């Protein structure tokens, strides 16, 4: 029941978002209103940067899969590249769905090239996880790529898959909030 009501709740929230936001801010005391608006602005900015980074990673993987399958002359390369790009948006499981589709198509159409296709997908996957994700998300989130890797590992260690998925945006949000509160404290000090 909750699964089916979630889209309706999200639709109603998005439809009336401005009224909900204004009502929330209007119910706050004036001293807290400014801080709340700034915190919501920071959250919006960080989540937007994270989503843009994920889209760039997704497109990069799609391009790499297209190049791989075109070089190997595997049929349906554009469709499989699009599939890989879309599946990249699904954390952890997406890569396996992408590899599975590519291997199945290669097995059905060019079985002699199955080892090359599987090896190419594994190389793309390793390149993505060790090079693209830290570099692209590091740039998008304005964080050092090494810090991205460390935060992801710690998140995965502490809470498993969920921690791995949310570690980077949570860390970026905490950093941005600390910067905001630090600047606010400095500004009040100078006043």
């Amino acid at each position: 029941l909750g699964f089916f009501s979630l889209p309706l709740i999200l639709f109603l929230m998005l439809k009336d978002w401005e009224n909900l936001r204004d009502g929330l801010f209007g119910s706050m005391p004036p001293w807290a209103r400014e801080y709340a608006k700034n915190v919501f602005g920071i959250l919006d900015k960080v989540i937007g940067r994270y989503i843009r980074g994920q889209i760039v990673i997704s497109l990069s993987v799609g391009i790499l899969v297209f190049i791989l399958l075109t070089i190997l002359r595997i049929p349906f390369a554009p469709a499989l590249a699009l599939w890989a790009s879309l599946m990249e948006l699904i954390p952890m499981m997406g890569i396996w769905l992408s590899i599975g589709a590519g291997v199945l198509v290669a097995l059905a159409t060019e079985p002699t090239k199955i080892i090359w296709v599987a090896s190419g997908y594994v190389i793309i996957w390793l390149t993505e996880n060790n090079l693209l994700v830290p570099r692209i998300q590091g740039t998008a989130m304005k964080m050092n790529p090494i810090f991205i890797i460390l935060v992801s590992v710690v998140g995965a260690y502490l809470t498993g898959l969920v921690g791995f998925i949310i570690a980077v945006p949570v860390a970026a949000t905490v950093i941005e909030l600390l910067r905001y509160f630090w600047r606010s404290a400095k500004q009040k000090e100078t006043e």
Side-chain angles (χ1 to χ4, degrees), residues 58-73:
S58 173
L59 292 173
S60 301
V61 168
I63 291 168
L64 290 174
V65 167
F66 179 75
I67 291 169
L68 167 73
L69 297 178
T70 302
I71 290 172
L72 293 175
R73 297 176 192 235

Side-chain angles (χ1 to χ4, degrees), residues 18-30:
E18 290 180 8
N19 293 335
L20 288 170
R21 185 190 60 206
D22 294 342
L24 176 68
F25 291 146
S27 67
M28 294 180 174

Side-chain angles (χ1 to χ4, degrees), residues 99-162:
I99 292 172
V103 167
L104 283 175
V105 168
L107 189 60
T109 59
E110 299 283 342
T112 58
K113 297 178 181 176
I114 190 74
I115 299 296
W116 292 106
V117 170
S119 299
Y121 269 101
V122 169
I123 290 169
I124 289 171
W125 180 54
L126 291 172
T127 303
E128 173 208 353
N129 286 332
N130 296 312
L131 189 66
L132 291 178
V133 170
R135 183 68 64 186
I136 291 171
Q137 281 296 8
T139 302
M141 303 302 281
K142 299 179 181 173
M143 295 166 63
N144 189 314
I146 294 171
F147 186 69
I148 297 261
I149 293 169
L150 289 174
V151 165
S152 298
V153 169
V154 169
Y157 177 76
L158 292 176
T159 58
L161 178 62
V162 173

